[in-house]
Amino acid sequence: MSDFSYLACPACCRRALPGHAEGLSCAACGGPAPERVYRLLLSVATHDRVFPVVLFDRAARTLLGCPTDELARLFAAHRGAARAAADALQGEMCRLALREPARDGAEHLRAVSVTPLRDGFRPVVDALRTLYPRG
């Protein structure tokens, strides 16, 4: 789960330019400082094929269960946490609402909503907190 996030403006949703200093307002719209948001690339399997799907912030939070910064801190503090997060999602059955890429040149379908189908589904962060308790 490397490169699972990027900086984007909360007002205009545009990606911050490389090297954008933390705390500075958005260069595109002058709005608030960009924040870290999710961008997950997952392999989705159906009855007849496997294909890549991108989940952005809102859809990804359904599966991960926490803000991007919290997950980044867990990954930084615990060497195996990223692998454990990927393992926790493997085989999870979900209903996805998919959309064609919004931008020219985008390669992958986009999940606009995710609904886990398992009754006992718990977000990934719950598994990580069990594996890596605070303290």
Side-chain angles (χ1 to χ4, degrees):
M1 287 186 70
S2 62
D3 293 337
F4 67 95
S5 65
Y6 65 99
L7 288 174
C9 174
C12 70
C13 298
R14 290 192 179 115
R15 185 180 199 129
L17 298 173
H20 185 91
E22 276 193 51
L24 291 181
S25 62
C26 174
C29 73
E35 298 172 352
R36 192 149 297 284
V37 294
Y38 287 114
R39 181 192 180 278
L40 298 179
L41 180 61
L42 303 178
S43 293
V44 174
T46 66
H47 67 285
D48 63 346
R49 66 185 178 127
V50 176
F51 54 94
V53 172
V54 175
L55 281 75
F56 288 100
D57 203 51
R58 187 175 46 236
R61 278 184 188 225
T62 300
L63 296 177
L64 299 173
C66 66
T68 316
D69 290 335
E70 183 178 342
L71 193 65
R73 282 191 300 274
L74 271 166
F75 287 179
H78 306 285
R79 200 169 136 221
R83 182 75 225 161
D87 290 346
L89 285 175
Q90 189 170 356
E92 194 63 55
M93 294 188 60
C94 299
R95 177 178 292 122
L96 301 175
L98 301 175
R99 186 172 83 190
E100 291 293 327
R103 294 187 178 162
D104 291 338
E107 301 175 42
H108 309 298
L109 290 172
R110 178 178 181 170
V112 293
S113 72
V114 179
T115 305
L117 297 176
R118 187 167 46 91
D119 284 342
F121 174 79
R122 301 297 306 152
V124 168
V125 73
D126 289 357
L128 294 177
R129 287 177 183 148
T130 300
L131 287 170
Y132 308 105
R134 292 178 191 208

